[in-house]
Amino acid sequence: MEKKSIHEITSTVCKALTLAMGVAVVVLSCLDKLEAQSAVVLLGLGLACAGIAMLEK
């Protein structure tokens, strides 16, 4: 098993969190279980993680 650097792990976690926040907002919106303000917070968190992943390159 290959050891991964902290840089690779951080990048992978940020990308996964970005995807998870997007999917969570879509699913919760479809189920009418999400307020607009909460959706903006979740999408903002996902966008921040996407920015971190892009800046690491």
Side-chain angles (χ1 to χ4, degrees):
M1 180 178 269
E2 181 182 324
K3 289 187 178 180
K4 292 190 176 186
S5 70
I6 192 76
H7 173 72
E8 291 174 311
I9 294 171
T10 304
S11 179
T12 302
V13 168
C14 285
K15 289 175 186 175
L17 188 59
T18 299
L19 179 62
M21 290 298 107
V23 170
V25 168
V26 170
V27 170
L28 290 172
S29 293
C30 288
L31 296 174
D32 287 331
K33 298 291 182 181
L34 186 64
E35 296 177 7
Q37 185 176 4
S38 298
V40 170
V41 171
L42 291 175
L43 291 174
L45 180 61
L47 186 60
C49 286
I52 291 169
M54 292 174 75
L55 283 174
E56 287 182 339
K57 293 182 179 182

